[in-house]
Amino acid sequence: MALAVRLRRLLFVGRSAARGLRLTAGAAGSRGQRVPWRLAASEVMGNSGTFRRSLLFSALSYLGFETCRVISQAVVVHAAAKVFKIEEILEQADYLYESGETEKLYQLLTQYKESEDAELLWRLARASRDVAQLSGTSEEEKKVLVYEALEYAKRALEKNESSFAAHKWYAICISDVGDYEGIKAKIANAYIIKEHFEKAIELNPKDATSIHLMGIWCYTFAEMPWYQRRIAKVLFATPPSSTYEEALGYFHRAEQVDPNFYSKNLLLLGKTYLKLHNRKLAAFWLTKAKDHPAHTEEDKQVQTEAAQLLTGFSDKN
């Protein structure tokens, strides 16, 4: 509306100016007086058709400028609104995650599964995986969710390769998919998984979870059964390998970054010390795992396993 008013004013002023110039020149001529500026006015005005075209061109140029400005402002406002909306969604998502509302979180984020925002996508990958882990999820649904999570994590990584969380969840989801694709694929994926965990740690050395997961990678290959080692040697010239000492180093490092952040890290510290035949430190960490507050189903499982391992200590004594 404001743009239309400005244009009408510009056209009105132009027409008024043209009439004024013609009227003044005509009046002077009727009295037979020589008007020194008459020729100059004629040169400026040309004929009325030329002037009108010139005026119309100026008006259209102005209209084009104003249109571009208004459109640019609208684009900026729309982009700002979009960013605000995503931030609001992420805030809601983090609240639901911290509250243990797994299914509500998944329902919230799946509404935006076509998003191109890496922060939203990796959270959706995590939520899909968490729903897959619920005890009420059927095996068929779990498989669908696991592959779904991998797709979201892959898209997050494509959108932002500098996101440590995207690297972390991509590695986690690849590992999950390996359970459905056989030992050969699982071993082959091990190199990719390690690479992305290492990248996540490089991008954010203060993320205890990435460090913990690197410890799990080491622990897994330290205890790899002999038949899997044989398959790995057949398939790869240098199969993935690690030691319990390496795993222990990562678990302790994670604990230093964020003490008591995760019950499973406490459990694996105890189990790793058991593998290294240090019963005293194993009992210390297993007790901490057993006494850790249970907020999730996984925490409850950790408590149960830690208690069973500690009971085994008593039986042997």
Side-chain angles (χ1 to χ4, degrees), residues 175-193:
S175 178
D176 289 344
V177 166
D179 293 337
Y180 298 97
E181 298 189 345
I183 185 64
K184 181 178 178 180
K186 201 170 183 69
I187 294 172
N189 287 339
Y191 294 101
I192 301 171
I193 293 167

Side-chain angles (χ1 to χ4, degrees), residues 84-102:
F84 177 76
K85 183 178 181 181
I86 289 175
E87 289 180 351
E88 187 178 357
I89 294 165
L90 297 181
E91 188 176 327
Q92 292 176 28
D94 290 343
Y95 173 78
L96 290 172
Y97 181 75
E98 293 298 328
S99 303
E101 297 284 357
T102 303

Side-chain angles (χ1 to χ4, degrees), residues 262-316:
Y262 186 29
S263 62
K264 195 167 184 179
N265 197 65
L266 302 173
L267 175 67
L268 282 165
L269 275 163
K271 291 176 72 171
T272 306
Y273 272 116
L274 272 180
K275 295 289 185 181
L276 293 171
H277 309 294
N278 188 327
R279 290 167 60 84
K280 183 177 179 180
L281 285 175
F284 172 79
W285 289 106
L286 289 172
T287 300
K288 291 196 71 170
K290 179 179 69 68
D291 296 339
H292 190 276
H295 299 295
T296 65
E297 287 190 33
E298 185 180 45
D299 288 335
K300 294 174 184 176
Q301 292 168 5
V302 164
Q303 285 182 339
T304 300
E305 185 175 355
Q308 289 173 345
L309 289 168
L310 286 167
T311 301
F313 275 34
S314 302
D315 292 343
K316 290 180 180 178

Side-chain angles (χ1 to χ4, degrees), residues 8-239:
R8 284 199 298 272
R9 286 177 180 171
L10 180 61
L11 290 170
F12 175 76
V13 169
R15 287 196 295 270
S16 299
R19 284 199 300 271
L21 283 169
R22 287 199 296 272
L23 180 59
T24 304
S30 66
R31 291 194 297 270
Q33 298 175 356
R34 184 174 180 79
V35 183
W37 48 264
R38 186 171 182 178
L39 178 61
S42 176
E43 288 172 347
V44 171
M45 292 293 296
N47 57 55
S48 61
T50 302
F51 177 75
R52 282 195 297 271
R53 286 194 297 272
S54 177
L55 185 59
L56 180 59
F57 177 77
S58 298
L60 290 173
S61 297
Y62 178 76
L63 177 61
F65 169 76
E66 283 293 293
T67 301
C68 288
R69 187 175 68 81
V70 170
I71 291 173
S72 296
Q73 289 176 344
V75 169
V76 170
V77 170
H78 177 71
K82 187 176 180 181
V83 169
F84 177 76
K85 183 178 181 181
I86 289 175
E87 289 180 351
E88 187 178 357
I89 294 165
L90 297 181
E91 188 176 327
Q92 292 176 28
D94 290 343
Y95 173 78
L96 290 172
Y97 181 75
E98 293 298 328
S99 303
E101 297 284 357
T102 303
E103 291 175 297
K104 287 184 181 179
L105 174 59
Y106 178 74
Q107 289 167 5
L108 168 69
L109 293 178
T110 47
Q111 297 177 64
Y112 309 99
K113 62 183 179 182
E114 301 304 324
S115 171
E116 295 186 358
D117 186 85
E119 292 297 302
L120 193 150
L121 287 169
W122 72 252
R123 283 173 171 82
L124 181 51
R126 179 181 67 183
S128 301
R129 182 181 186 272
D130 286 349
V131 172
Q133 300 294 321
L134 293 176
S135 58
T137 304
S138 68
E139 285 302 315
E140 185 178 344
E141 290 174 322
K142 181 176 180 179
K143 183 176 180 179
V144 171
L145 286 164
V146 162
Y147 279 92
E148 188 179 285
L150 177 59
E151 183 59 31
Y152 295 138
K154 182 181 178 182
R155 283 173 51 202
L157 197 55
E158 288 171 351
K159 298 302 176 185
N160 186 4
E161 291 188 354
S162 297
S163 168
F164 82 92
H167 282 280
K168 174 172 69 178
W169 286 99
Y170 182 63
I172 292 170
C173 293
I174 289 178
S175 178
D176 289 344
V177 166
D179 293 337
Y180 298 97
E181 298 189 345
I183 185 64
K184 181 178 178 180
K186 201 170 183 69
I187 294 172
N189 287 339
Y191 294 101
I192 301 171
I193 293 167
K194 183 181 181 183
E195 176 187 337
H196 286 284
F197 281 149
E198 288 175 337
K199 186 64 177 178
I201 295 169
E202 178 188 328
L203 289 167
N204 186 2
K206 295 299 183 181
D207 180 49
T209 307
S210 297
I211 301 168
H212 163 80
L213 291 167
M214 193 63 237
I216 289 183
W217 189 95
C218 294
Y219 187 93
T220 300
F221 284 97
E223 71 168 2
M224 181 184 282
W226 65 268
Y227 65 90
Q228 290 186 2
R229 290 182 188 278
R230 180 173 293 180
I231 294 171
K233 287 180 180 179
V234 170
L235 296 174
F236 305 99
T238 54

